[in-house]
Amino acid sequence: MKRYLFIGILLLLWLTGCQASPVFESEKKVVRHYPVHSDNIAMNQKGDTLYIANIDVNSVTILNAKTKKKEAEIPVGKEPRQLALSPDEQWLYVSCMHDDRVDVISLKEKKVVDHLKTGIEPFGLVTSQDGKTLYVANYRSGTLSVFDLAAGKEKKEISIGDRPRALALTADGKKLYVTEYLDAKISVIDTKTNRVIKEIALAPSPDQADRKKSQGIPNTLEQIVIAPDGKKAYVPHLLTNIDTPINFEETVFPAISVIDLEKDEELTDERKELFAEINVSDVKNETIIVSNPYDIAFQPDGSKAYAIMSGSEDLVVFDLQRGGNATQILRRIEGNNPRGIVISPDGKTLFVHNAMSHDLAMIQTGGKSPYAKAKAVKGTIRLIAKDSLSPLVREGKTIFYSANSDEFATNITGNNWMSCASCHSDGDINKLTLLTPKGPRNVPSNILATKTGLFMWDGSRDDFTDYIHTVQNEMGGMMNLDPGKPLPPKVQHMYDAILAYLNDPNSFPVPKSPYRNQDGSLTAKAKEGEKLFNGKGNCLSCHGGEYFTDSTKAVDAKGNLTTANTDYLHDIGTANPQDKSSKGDARAHFTNPRTPKQWDTPTLRGVWATAPYLHDGSAKTIEEAIERHQTKEVETLTPGEIAAIAEYVRSIE
């Protein structure tokens, strides 16, 4: 009898051990009644603990907000972008962008206890108000994953559009807002039916006679944050002016749009723009220029909004009870590249997450009084034990995202106007075509940019330091330097650092294609297209080798890349009437002239994610880009064959 009892106990223990651990079950049921949004920094309701996603160090830091001491640094998956607390604050969910998963952290155990498989490149995420559901924006898949947390499984995937990124959930939990990063749209999700019920498209800011006044197309929607009263949401983003020649003072402007959450419509009259609602003067009585707005926090009573400018590294304070205009700009938040902000429950302290220096800055708000002035607390709090990047790569990445004209050996931009990331959104593309002296140019991706031969659409650069022409002519920086002469060592070091960042394999990995089968293999149609690509279509004549380009062959007798070798520039009939010939540039001592019939071959790896296509962005789809090739091979391809080749090209990783 005892023997059977013993066996029964063992069997019970074995069965218990085989059951899924209750990772997502909460000890007590808590329902939130306030709005929440996804972010790279979060604070618990007591205001005594902070949680920070260390973007490129692959860890999450837990910080005691009272003692300012780090309580833990927890390893997580690759590229943790944002995080979300469960309503009972027992669990922390972290989007690991380059591992295509969400890591689940037990805050009791202070470690990752489970993973949720997501779509491609998860970004924003929030839990439902009752904690039963997790919503995750899949940046590359163009979808929203809806997870049942009790079961630990995805119960639905909702199609959103291109590059869904940030999330915000209303206080009653009935509506979820999802931003489309580059298309400047916001999808409204009914959380009961898990359906898109409306799409809000941000309006362009109209052209003005004065090109130096804010105007342009909205893009790069970094965040969406709901105000404390739940009636409005604020969206920091850029405006890009595409119908005038690119110039640092006339092309990119900071903006914050406001959404009416009762009507789900943009309040265009309330948009915050430079020289209008953002018009704070310096001691010279000139408007203080700020750039790259990223995140927003509010006084608990909604009287003020605090916006961080990640490029110029400033804090902008808006008085929402007296007209909504900016009343103060706190210049130069200590640290590099502020991207996240939260406020203490009493409204007295702002905590700012610096994404490049991996530290936390603190600012005293002065309270809700309209006359109070925000003041920086000296010193920052280190968030990580060890940087995952080399010092040179970290320096280059910091410069890339910076529009701080005072920080480096020389200014990277004129008067804090723009960073490299202002056009290369989050290091990649912005889906826009800008006017240049040579004609309209589609902003190219930085993915594999240092591996694929000559630079620029016309292959007119063969050395990264040649980009001093971009800095001078488009960004307004380094104007005191002669580009035809060797640069001062400290300035040359800046270019070497940015190149090291671009060249690091972890900086811009080729995105996985959503057009493949779930196991990663090619679809039947893509296989058909591959045969045509390699055969009848003769695509390999230009798009060959590891990087699907022949630009790497443009070398001299010693094997060095050179703009003088024009044998691998091609005329495929895609010139734009606005294209102009160039006599070359000073950096190359004018040995690199170009005509509108000389085009460099772009890589096809990850090209599915870089629409629009061609040098002028005139082809909206890959099919159209193929059809525009005026070659005898394309002329003999049927529409079905072109579609098959396009399916293969969309699958190239």
Side-chain angles (χ1 to χ4, degrees):
M1 185 68 180
K2 290 181 178 179
R3 179 187 176 193
Y4 291 122
L5 180 61
F6 177 71
I7 292 174
I9 292 171
L10 287 177
L11 182 62
L12 180 62
L13 290 172
W14 179 77
L15 287 171
T16 303
C18 286
Q19 293 176 358
S21 60
V23 170
F24 310 115
E25 291 294 333
S26 301
E27 294 178 358
K28 55 182 179 179
K29 301 298 180 183
V30 176
V31 178
R32 287 187 304 241
H33 298 285
Y34 50 88
V36 292
H37 65 277
S38 60
D39 212 331
N40 51 69
I41 181 172
M43 175 180 275
N44 66 353
Q45 277 299 287
K46 286 185 178 179
D48 60 9
T49 308
L50 292 160
Y51 309 94
I52 303 101
N54 301 315
I55 291 169
D56 50 22
V57 177
N58 304 337
S59 69
V60 167
T61 294
I62 300 177
L63 188 78
N64 187 308
K66 303 299 183 183
T67 65
K68 313 300 186 292
K69 301 293 185 183
K70 186 169 72 171
E71 293 185 348
E73 185 180 353
I74 303 168
V76 295
K78 294 178 183 177
E79 198 74 7
R81 281 305 187 102
Q82 296 198 332
L83 36 74
L85 277 165
S86 61
D88 61 11
E89 301 181 348
Q90 292 187 47
W91 312 102
L92 188 67
Y93 302 92
V94 186
S95 60
C96 302
M97 193 174 183
H98 291 164
D99 273 337
D100 301 335
R101 78 186 196 209
V102 167
D103 280 0
V104 183
I105 294 176
S106 166
L107 294 178
K108 184 183 295 183
E109 301 177 56
K110 290 185 172 58
K111 68 177 183 179
V112 174
V113 293
D114 218 319
H115 314 286
L116 296 172
K117 181 65 177 175
T118 66
I120 303 172
E121 296 191 9
F123 202 97
L125 69 174
V126 293
T127 53
S128 61
Q129 301 297 44
D130 60 8
K132 295 180 179 180
T133 306
L134 178 71
Y135 303 96
V136 184
N138 299 308
Y139 186 70
R140 295 292 187 187
S141 298
T143 62
L144 179 78
S145 290
V146 183
F147 285 94
D148 180 333
L149 290 178
K153 295 181 179 179
E154 182 183 76
K155 62 181 181 181
K156 189 167 185 178
E157 190 173 29
I158 306 169
S159 179
I160 299 296
D162 188 48
R163 293 172 172 83
R165 190 167 171 106
L167 305 180
L169 184 68
T170 56
D172 60 13
K174 293 181 179 180
K175 289 192 294 186
L176 178 71
Y177 295 85
V178 186
T179 64
E180 293 180 44
Y181 185 55
L182 297 183
D183 288 344
K185 297 176 182 177
I186 303 168
S187 292
V188 186
I189 310 293
D190 181 329
T191 58
K192 185 176 181 180
T193 61
N194 284 325
R195 292 181 179 177
V196 178
I197 56 174
K198 190 170 185 179
E199 187 176 71
I200 306 166
L202 297 188
S205 284
D207 288 344
Q208 298 194 39
D210 186 349
R211 292 178 181 177
K212 300 186 188 304
K213 298 298 183 183
S214 182
Q215 57 193 293
I217 295 173
N219 66 340
T220 62
L221 277 56
E222 297 293 0
Q223 277 289 15
I224 178 167
V225 184
I226 298 175
D229 64 5
K231 294 180 180 180
K232 298 177 181 178
Y234 288 66
V235 183
H237 60 87
L238 294 178
L239 294 169
T240 303
N241 191 14
I242 63 172
D243 53 11
T244 58
I246 183 170
N247 178 280
F248 72 106
E249 294 179 305
E250 301 174 0
T251 303
V252 180
F253 301 90
I256 299 171
S257 290
V258 183
I259 309 298
D260 181 333
L261 299 187
E262 295 176 339
K263 296 180 180 179
D264 287 332
E265 296 176 354
E266 181 186 2
L267 299 168
T268 53
D269 291 342
E270 294 191 25
R271 179 176 287 176
K272 318 298 182 189
E273 297 192 46
L274 194 63
F275 303 115
E277 294 77 12
I278 307 174
N279 196 28
V280 179
S281 299
D282 59 16
V283 293
K284 297 179 181 179
N285 202 33
E286 296 176 349
T287 298
I288 299 174
I289 305 302
V290 295
S291 52
N292 300 95
Y294 209 101
D295 199 6
I296 293 175
F298 297 91
Q299 271 290 334
D301 66 352
S303 60
K304 292 183 180 182
Y306 304 91
I308 50 172
M309 303 289 154
S310 64
S312 57
E313 302 181 337
D314 304 318
L315 177 78
V316 181
V317 183
F318 296 92
D319 188 334
L320 301 182
Q321 291 187 335
R322 300 195 303 170
N325 291 354
T327 56
Q328 180 190 2
I329 293 177
L330 182 64
R331 203 61 154 161
R332 307 301 189 230
I333 297 170
E334 191 171 352
N336 294 321
N337 193 223
R339 289 198 195 182
I341 185 171
V342 293
I343 192 168
S344 59
D346 61 9
K348 293 182 179 180
T349 306
L350 294 166
F351 297 91
V352 179
H353 172 212
N354 291 311
M356 290 301 109
S357 51
H358 288 292
D359 53 13
L360 200 72
M362 291 177 293
I363 298 168
Q364 297 301 325
T365 66
K368 61 185 180 181
S369 167
Y371 305 104
K373 294 294 183 181
K375 296 181 180 179
V377 176
K378 189 175 181 180
T380 61
I381 303 169
R382 182 72 169 168
L383 295 173
I384 61 173
K386 183 180 179 181
D387 196 344
S388 60
L389 305 186
S390 71
L392 188 63
V393 170
R394 173 62 67 197
E395 182 181 356
K397 189 171 185 179
T398 300
I399 296 171
F400 186 93
Y401 283 100
S402 179
N404 185 333
S405 294
D406 303 327
E407 187 173 1
F408 307 105
T410 188
N411 58 337
I412 192 72
T413 183
N415 194 21
N416 311 285
W417 268 96
M418 61 193 299
S419 65
C420 303
S422 296
C423 293
H424 294 280
S425 305
D426 208 6
D428 198 359
I429 65 169
N430 65 3
K431 295 183 73 172
L432 299 176
T433 298
L434 305 178
L435 291 181
T436 75
K438 294 182 181 181
R441 293 294 183 266
N442 178 15
V443 176
S445 171
N446 280 317
I447 293 170
L448 299 177
T450 64
K451 308 290 186 183
T452 53
L454 298 173
F455 298 106
M456 307 295 284
W457 281 105
D458 60 4
S460 58
R461 296 178 185 172
D462 54 22
D463 183 270
F464 186 74
T465 309
D466 297 342
Y467 277 90
I468 187 173
H469 289 298
T470 296
V471 173
Q472 291 185 330
N473 300 335
E474 298 174 10
M475 299 177 68
M478 303 185 179
M479 299 301 291
N480 60 328
L481 300 174
D482 183 343
K485 296 180 180 179
L487 300 181
K490 289 184 178 180
V491 177
Q492 180 61 54
H493 176 80
M494 292 174 66
Y495 285 94
D496 295 343
I498 299 175
L499 177 60
Y501 163 56
L502 296 175
N503 203 33
D504 189 296
N506 295 314
S507 295
F508 304 105
V510 178
K512 297 175 184 176
S513 173
Y515 297 95
R516 290 176 172 252
N517 293 320
Q518 285 192 343
D519 63 1
S521 62
L522 296 178
T523 65
K525 188 175 182 179
K527 288 180 180 178
E528 176 189 346
E530 183 179 24
K531 291 179 182 178
L532 291 164
F533 184 96
N534 296 335
K536 182 180 178 181
N538 194 30
C539 307
L540 285 175
S541 61
C542 295
H543 294 284
E546 179 182 359
Y547 298 109
F548 292 82
T549 177
D550 60 358
S551 185
T552 54
K553 299 176 183 178
V555 296
D556 58 20
K558 296 181 179 180
N560 297 318
L561 200 67
T562 175
T563 57
N565 186 343
T566 59
D567 292 342
Y568 300 96
L569 300 179
H570 308 281
D571 177 17
I572 57 170
T574 57
N576 187 296
Q578 293 179 276
D579 290 330
K580 297 178 176 64
S581 294
S582 163
K583 296 180 180 180
D585 54 52
R587 188 74 188 165
H589 304 291
F590 301 97
T591 62
N592 57 341
R594 293 292 185 263
T595 73
K597 293 187 176 183
Q598 293 174 301
W599 302 108
D600 189 49
T601 306
T603 179
L604 296 183
R605 291 185 61 182
V607 73
W608 67 269
T610 63
Y613 301 104
L614 304 181
H615 76 280
D616 60 352
S618 58
K620 305 306 178 187
T621 65
I622 290 176
E623 284 88 346
E624 185 181 351
I626 296 171
E627 291 167 357
R628 291 277 300 281
H629 284 57
Q630 294 181 16
T631 63
K632 61 181 180 180
E633 291 84 6
V634 172
E635 291 174 1
T636 62
L637 292 171
T638 67
E641 289 172 331
I642 290 175
I645 292 174
E647 185 72 6
Y648 169 61
V649 171
R650 276 191 286 268
S651 303
I652 297 173
E653 296 178 342

